[in-house]
Amino acid sequence: MKKDRNGKNGHIFHPWYLFDCADLFHCSKSDEKSGNLFDDRLFIGERVNYNAKLFQHPHRMDGVVLLICRKGWLNGSVNLMPHRIEEGMLAVFHREHLLQFWSQSDDFEASAIVLSSQFIQEMHIDLKQAIPIFMHLKDNPAIHITEEEHSVLNMFYETIRCVLRSSDDIHRPAIIQRLLEAMFYKILAIHQNKVPEVSFRRGRREEFFERFMELLTQYHKQERSMGFYAERLHITPKYLSSVIKEVSGKSAAEWIDQYVILEAKALLRYSGLSIQEIAYELNFSTQSFFGKYFKHHTGISPSAYKHK
């Protein structure tokens, strides 16, 4: 289900707005022949084929995708950067990833678990302790895993599939939720092993960072002011800046600029909107102001980027 084509401000629908689980792959509620199972906010894919029409433009997904490639390869981009998912790789995508896929090998096979944001929120996972892993995932969504790691993840996957088929089990939702929680912790452990210098931290500062990233994902097209985000977090802009810098190594202003520029690049490259319309879409007062902002951060004008 795609979001409304016209938002509160009358903004135009773009193909990288949030999609829900059912949109992501060709699937029905239950398709035993293909091996796909779909249950409300959860999709389990045995034989995954990307939806070519949906994925031809960058988009965001309202949830999390866990993809284990068993054979072949899938080519695409994440946040406009080229990525190739191939045999022996684990990919984790979330709503802060702009996803686009354009080709796959004839023998491509992958196991997929797609969880809606609502499902994630109901899971009992202390993600606050995993902020360094979140930072790693943002730029490294796909990694190679060992045969042993693949075996463990596949065990979780097959068990979840078996439980999902048990429609007469009144405890099925709770069982699936707990299995997915355990699988998530295993994935976090795998990423931590790939980046040994990463250490788990937990505290109020990390909570501020997590909330800031949630707000930024939601409002970056309308708000670029540090004051806006600080007010929502009930802290001063100065404190917000120091907290975000300490936790992530990047200032709040840098995060804001990164999100706005990524959105601007996607709009310029794929939307078909004029530069003036894009400036309006990103809440710039004038096209000239947008042009100066974009060139300052990229070294190239919006027009040059649009046509290169």
Side-chain angles (χ1 to χ4, degrees), residues 246-261:
E246 180 180 339
V247 173
S248 70
K250 188 183 299 185
S251 71
E254 289 174 319
W255 277 111
I256 294 170
D257 290 335
Q258 178 177 320
Y259 269 56
V260 174
I261 290 299

Side-chain angles (χ1 to χ4, degrees), residues 42-78:
L42 167 68
F43 167 68
I44 304 290
E46 176 72 10
R47 298 178 180 86
V48 175
N49 286 294
Y50 71 94
N51 184 330
K53 184 177 180 180
L54 173 63
F55 284 88
Q56 66 184 345
H57 297 292
H59 72 278
R60 299 185 192 276
M61 200 278 291
D62 189 19
V64 171
V65 179
L66 308 177
L67 195 69
I68 305 170
C69 185
R70 299 196 306 267
K71 184 190 293 186
W73 50 264
L74 174 67
N75 284 336
S77 67
V78 181

Side-chain angles (χ1 to χ4, degrees), residues 237-248:
K238 183 177 180 179
Y239 184 65
L240 172 63
S241 181
S242 65
V243 165
I244 302 304
K245 180 73 172 179
E246 180 180 339
V247 173
S248 70

Side-chain angles (χ1 to χ4, degrees), residues 207-268:
E207 292 178 3
F208 277 132
F209 175 76
E210 182 185 29
R211 181 58 181 146
F212 169 71
M213 297 304 291
E214 291 174 356
L215 291 169
L216 187 57
T217 299
Q218 182 177 0
Y219 293 108
H220 68 273
K221 295 207 306 179
Q222 293 83 39
E223 297 290 345
R224 297 183 300 279
S225 165
M226 285 270 291
F228 169 84
Y229 296 99
E231 183 179 356
R232 289 294 180 110
L233 293 169
H234 307 291
I235 58 178
T236 66
K238 183 177 180 179
Y239 184 65
L240 172 63
S241 181
S242 65
V243 165
I244 302 304
K245 180 73 172 179
E246 180 180 339
V247 173
S248 70
K250 188 183 299 185
S251 71
E254 289 174 319
W255 277 111
I256 294 170
D257 290 335
Q258 178 177 320
Y259 269 56
V260 174
I261 290 299
L262 178 62
E263 198 75 34
K265 286 181 175 179
L267 288 167
L268 288 165

Side-chain angles (χ1 to χ4, degrees), residues 122-142:
E122 293 174 0
M123 292 172 65
H124 300 289
I125 296 179
D126 187 3
L127 293 178
K128 298 180 182 65
Q129 65 173 321
I131 286 177
I133 301 298
F134 165 83
M135 301 295 299
H136 178 67
L137 272 174
K138 190 173 184 300
D139 297 322
N140 303 275

Side-chain angles (χ1 to χ4, degrees), residues 38-272:
F38 186 80
D39 184 16
D40 298 329
R41 299 155 297 159
L42 167 68
F43 167 68
I44 304 290
E46 176 72 10
R47 298 178 180 86
V48 175
N49 286 294
Y50 71 94
N51 184 330
K53 184 177 180 180
L54 173 63
F55 284 88
Q56 66 184 345
H57 297 292
H59 72 278
R60 299 185 192 276
M61 200 278 291
D62 189 19
V64 171
V65 179
L66 308 177
L67 195 69
I68 305 170
C69 185
R70 299 196 306 267
K71 184 190 293 186
W73 50 264
L74 174 67
N75 284 336
S77 67
V78 181
N79 291 342
L80 306 183
M81 297 298 293
H83 279 267
R84 182 184 180 92
I85 302 170
E86 55 192 15
E87 184 176 348
M89 295 187 76
L90 164 69
V92 182
F93 303 118
H94 52 71
R95 62 182 293 160
E96 295 188 30
H97 287 135
L98 267 178
L99 301 175
Q100 182 182 19
F101 302 122
W102 51 70
S103 64
Q104 67 181 36
S105 64
D106 292 337
D107 63 344
F108 175 69
E109 290 185 12
S111 300
I113 297 180
V114 186
L115 308 172
S116 69
S117 288
Q118 182 181 355
F119 193 101
I120 293 290
Q121 291 168 5
E122 293 174 0
M123 292 172 65
H124 300 289
I125 296 179
D126 187 3
L127 293 178
K128 298 180 182 65
Q129 65 173 321
I131 286 177
I133 301 298
F134 165 83
M135 301 295 299
H136 178 67
L137 272 174
K138 190 173 184 300
D139 297 322
N140 303 275
I143 60 173
H144 286 278
I145 58 177
T146 66
E147 290 186 11
E148 181 181 357
E149 291 165 342
H150 183 279
S151 177
V152 173
L153 292 179
N154 189 63
M155 178 187 67
F156 278 117
Y157 174 81
E158 292 297 338
T159 304
I160 292 168
R161 282 178 52 78
C162 289
V163 175
L164 194 56
R165 287 195 186 99
S166 305
S167 57
D168 59 341
D169 189 340
I170 62 172
H171 299 295
R172 185 181 68 163
I175 295 171
I176 290 175
Q177 182 174 315
R178 297 301 182 269
L179 285 169
L180 283 166
E181 289 167 3
M183 187 175 184
F184 260 85
Y185 277 114
K186 178 59 181 177
I187 290 172
L188 290 175
I190 289 173
H191 274 269
Q192 189 178 23
N193 290 334
K194 304 299 180 186
V195 191
E197 68 273 15
V198 168
S199 60
F200 290 120
R201 298 184 300 169
R202 182 183 180 185
R204 188 157 178 77
R205 294 171 185 269
E206 286 71 38
E207 292 178 3
F208 277 132
F209 175 76
E210 182 185 29
R211 181 58 181 146
F212 169 71
M213 297 304 291
E214 291 174 356
L215 291 169
L216 187 57
T217 299
Q218 182 177 0
Y219 293 108
H220 68 273
K221 295 207 306 179
Q222 293 83 39
E223 297 290 345
R224 297 183 300 279
S225 165
M226 285 270 291
F228 169 84
Y229 296 99
E231 183 179 356
R232 289 294 180 110
L233 293 169
H234 307 291
I235 58 178
T236 66
K238 183 177 180 179
Y239 184 65
L240 172 63
S241 181
S242 65
V243 165
I244 302 304
K245 180 73 172 179
E246 180 180 339
V247 173
S248 70
K250 188 183 299 185
S251 71
E254 289 174 319
W255 277 111
I256 294 170
D257 290 335
Q258 178 177 320
Y259 269 56
V260 174
I261 290 299
L262 178 62
E263 198 75 34
K265 286 181 175 179
L267 288 167
L268 288 165
R269 184 64 57 83
Y270 300 104
S271 72

